[in-house]
Amino acid sequence: APNFLTGLCYMLLAVCFFTSSLQHPVDSQNVNTTIEGFDNTSKRSTTYVQYSGPASNFPCISEFSEWQHLWELNLPTLSSGANTDSDVANIKTAINHCSRKHHVDRRLILAMIMQESRGDVGVITTYNPYATAGLMQCMNCPGFVGQHGLALDDVTGMICGGVERFKGNLKHFGDKDSRDSVWPALREYNSGNANLADLSDPRGATASYVSDVANRVMGWCN
């Protein structure tokens, strides 16, 4: 009799466990998939990393977030302010066009646009001491201060002007899809020259520029 009762108890426990698992299945959507500093759900870096030193201290190209994730992360900023829907669509079209034309990673182009102008097609022209205009705040590039609802050709002109200049910077450092080319070229784009031992050396410009762009291609935005 004791053995029979013991067996019956085990059977009842098994039935209860099975019933509970049916009522409360594991929800894969609620499993914690967050790595420190990175949200796997949105593919967004949640922590700003302060990069400095030589190019080897900066991210590899293979570590960049995917294009579509970066576009979606920055879309709220691009769509804010005075930009029209057509302005935003034209920015995306122009980035893709200029990327193909000059063989420059479109993720870098987007990150530079967000860094330079936050994607405002009517951004002001700055003088330091030379005029830098347009979405990529580039010398000898067109600018449309205070104007929105621009034609595709106008947006493309601003972006391709900046990308063409950046391509020249890349060529000074081997023109490769590698951090040894990309990060020094960004320093030169911002400063006019680069201290290869420390790419956060501002050389009279913005100290955090290369680090900011590096974080943007990793999925950080502000």
Side-chain angles (χ1 to χ4, degrees), residues 7 16 25 33 44 54 68 111 114 119 127 131 147 150 152 157 166 176 179 214:
C16 290
T33 57
R44 173 177 177 168
Q68 189 59 34
M114 301 311 296
Y127 300 86
Q147 300 179 52
L150 300 181
L152 175 59
F166 179 55
K176 298 179 292 184
R179 57 186 175 185

Side-chain angles (χ1 to χ4, degrees), residues 45-180:
S45 174
T46 57
T47 304
Y48 183 97
V49 178
Q50 183 62 58
Y51 297 104
S52 61
S56 58
N57 289 354
F58 287 72
C60 295
I61 309 301
S62 60
E63 296 177 292
F64 290 7
S65 292
E66 296 176 6
W67 158 255
Q68 189 59 34
H69 295 303
L70 292 176
W71 177 258
E72 291 173 358
L73 285 174
N74 288 284
L75 190 55
T77 301
L78 289 164
S79 301
S80 65
N83 275 357
T84 65
D85 289 345
S86 65
D87 287 329
V88 176
N90 287 342
I91 289 171
K92 187 175 187 179
T93 299
I95 289 174
N96 284 321
H97 169 76
C98 298
S99 173
R100 290 191 299 268
K101 180 179 179 180
H102 295 288
H103 304 287
V104 173
D105 193 316
R106 58 183 175 173
R107 296 170 295 183
L108 282 168
I109 299 172
L110 175 61
M112 292 172 72
I113 289 171
M114 301 311 296
Q115 181 69 21
E116 294 285 357
S117 64
R118 296 183 65 79
D120 179 6
V121 299
V123 67
I124 63 171
T125 297
T126 56
Y127 300 86
N128 189 31
Y130 305 104
T132 55
L135 284 164
M136 298 186 71
Q137 293 289 283
C138 179
M139 289 189 295
N140 301 318
C141 283
F144 301 88
V145 180
Q147 300 179 52
H148 297 85
L150 300 181
L152 175 59
D153 285 349
D154 294 333
V155 176
T156 302
M158 287 190 283
I159 294 177
C160 274
V163 173
E164 184 175 355
R165 184 173 185 84
F166 179 55
K167 183 68 172 181
N169 300 131
L170 284 168
K171 288 179 178 179
H172 294 162
F173 300 98
D175 194 17
K176 298 179 292 184
D177 287 328
S178 72
R179 57 186 175 185
D180 292 335

Side-chain angles (χ1 to χ4, degrees), residues 108 111-112 115 183 186 208-217:
L108 282 168
M112 292 172 72
Q115 181 69 21
W183 306 123
L186 277 166
S208 65
Y209 186 84
V210 184
S211 181
D212 289 346
V213 174
N215 277 275
R216 291 185 186 282
V217 294

